[in-house]
Amino acid sequence: MSAQTAAAKAPSLTPELSLEAYRRMLRIRRFEEEAMRRAMSGEFSGMHSSSGHEAAIVGACLALRDDDYITGTHRSHGHPIGKGADLKPLMAELYGKATGICKGRGGSMHLADRKVGIIGESAIVGGGIPLATGAGLSIQVRGTDQVSLCFFGDGAANQGTFGESLNLAAIWKLPVIFFCENNLYAISTPVAKSHGQPDVALRAAGYGMPGIIVDGQDLPEVHASTALAVGRARAGEGPTLIEAKTYRFDEHCLNLQVPIPYRTPQELERYRSQRDPLVLYRKEMRESGLGEAHIEAIEREVAAEVTDAVDFARQSPLPDPGEVYDYLFSNPINYPPEPTP
């Protein structure tokens, strides 16, 4: 079994879904641009931008339902936004505020929003892979038709949890989509120096599942391939490994100092000028006749939404120090009351 390279873009996106796709991609880009400015001005510290990954994230998420699960990575703003999360509690979490999606306790790398099926994101490389697999087992045990999708990077494909999770999911035919955002570098290490061969999707053959390579800058291609994988999973046919070839425009994280350059200015310029997923999709929308008025209306709407999110975050209160031990654990067992002496 060899990895397939996606070529067809069917099923095509409806006009309504096309507009929603652009809206979500733009929400990711503008949210992160503003967050980057705020972090650089010292309003909060640390963040990992996913600018450049928008088509991969949104294309995958639009193939899911709200009740489908996803897990993400330390590059964690794009995934909840791509799944449709509200920007206000996400921005408040970056500021460490009590109104944050994790009540100010998670920060930039640990966002979660159960309203849209986000189990959690983690700074642990590959940490979400077994969680998504466990969610798939939960779906199977409960007998629902949900699916679980796990976002991870090319670096995480070399973690032991990757092989263990794919093997278990394949044996039990769990409804899991393993989605690799291959942006060519694990921090500053090129894929060629950390992988025996550069295509992560080829590893699917060793586990007896389909492996698909998609252009991660082409949203319709990502969406079509993910929709097929979701259909297989809902039908009880088991997991799929999808590898989206994408690229991050910013450094691995804010203020990272890399002593030896690992990307050339020419490479960066080529991706920014020729492979920006927003520019590519905006062009496709115009060619399909969706119209400039729709595009401009979405851009105004998203700009206002990001401004409102920053205002909300800045005006929100900090967590109460007296509640520092709250939410450390959950015990759902209802013990019977102690007998009265």
Side-chain angles (χ1 to χ4, degrees):
M1 184 186 300
S2 60
Q4 307 166 28
T5 301
K9 294 185 178 181
S12 60
L13 296 165
T14 65
E16 293 77 12
L17 205 55
S18 294
L19 292 172
E20 181 61 22
Y22 182 64
R23 179 180 290 107
R24 293 193 190 190
M25 284 201 292
L26 195 64
R27 289 173 90 230
I28 295 172
R29 180 69 61 87
R30 297 293 178 256
F31 179 96
E32 295 200 321
E33 287 175 344
E34 187 61 29
M36 189 79 78
R37 283 192 286 270
R38 300 291 173 171
M40 292 177 70
S41 70
E43 293 189 30
F44 56 85
S45 63
M47 64 169 286
H48 297 69
S49 168
S50 54
S51 291
H53 287 223
E54 292 92 348
I57 294 169
V58 175
C61 286
L62 282 179
L64 303 172
R65 301 190 312 231
D66 283 352
D67 67 333
D68 290 329
Y69 300 122
I70 71 168
T71 62
T73 70
H74 53 273
R75 202 171 304 287
S76 68
H77 319 114
H79 303 129
I81 298 173
K83 195 71 160 57
D86 185 355
L87 297 190
K88 289 182 179 179
L90 295 181
M91 187 67 78
E93 188 63 34
L94 269 62
Y95 276 81
K97 297 299 185 71
T99 55
I101 196 66
C102 297
K103 304 184 186 300
R105 290 159 167 80
S108 174
M109 293 190 287
H110 304 94
L111 301 176
D113 187 351
R114 294 200 299 180
K115 292 179 182 177
V116 291
I118 299 171
I119 299 170
E121 305 194 90
S122 174
I124 299 171
V125 176
I129 303 176
L131 296 181
T133 306
L137 176 58
S138 166
I139 291 167
Q140 189 179 79
V141 169
R142 290 182 290 109
T144 71
D145 70 341
Q146 296 164 281
V147 302
S148 175
L149 186 145
C150 175
F151 288 105
F152 60 95
D154 47 280
N158 290 333
Q159 295 285 346
T161 54
F162 172 85
E164 294 166 0
S165 297
L166 267 69
N167 189 56
L168 190 68
I171 292 170
W172 290 348
K173 292 190 178 301
L174 301 182
V176 185
I177 294 94
F178 298 98
F179 193 98
C180 178
E181 297 174 80
N182 185 350
N183 63 22
L184 309 183
Y185 299 96
I187 304 181
S188 60
T189 303
V191 166
K193 292 187 177 181
S194 59
H195 293 61
Q197 56 78 29
D199 297 325
V200 173
L202 288 177
R203 304 188 191 186
Y207 301 100
M209 69 177 69
I212 304 171
I213 298 172
V214 296
D215 178 357
Q217 310 307 84
D218 186 326
L219 185 143
E221 183 177 307
V222 174
H223 177 263
S225 294
T226 308
L228 289 173
V230 168
R232 287 188 72 255
R234 291 203 203 283
E237 297 175 15
T240 301
L241 172 59
I242 299 175
E243 177 186 6
K245 304 283 191 181
T246 185
Y247 196 82
R248 56 173 164 79
F249 292 161
D250 297 316
E251 192 45 86
H252 169 73
C253 64
L254 186 65
N255 297 325
L256 178 67
Q257 300 297 319
V258 180
I260 301 174
Y262 64 98
R263 302 192 290 188
T264 66
Q266 293 80 9
E267 178 182 300
L268 282 164
E269 175 57 26
R270 179 169 66 85
Y271 272 94
R272 285 185 177 276
S273 63
Q274 300 176 29
R275 302 292 292 148
D276 185 328
L278 268 75
V279 174
L280 293 173
Y281 195 63
R282 192 182 297 123
K283 179 175 181 291
E284 190 164 325
M285 290 173 68
R286 289 181 176 126
E287 291 175 350
S288 68
L290 286 174
E292 195 66 32
H294 287 103
I295 296 172
E296 291 178 354
I298 289 172
E299 290 172 348
R300 289 192 299 270
E301 172 193 317
V302 170
E305 190 179 4
V306 171
T307 298
D308 289 346
V310 172
D311 291 343
F312 173 80
R314 297 180 75 184
Q315 294 167 13
S316 293
L318 290 166
D320 182 349
E323 299 175 351
V324 67
Y325 295 112
D326 291 355
Y327 314 111
L328 285 179
F329 63 91
S330 174
N331 189 344
I333 300 173
N334 294 317
Y335 289 105
E338 292 291 333
T340 304

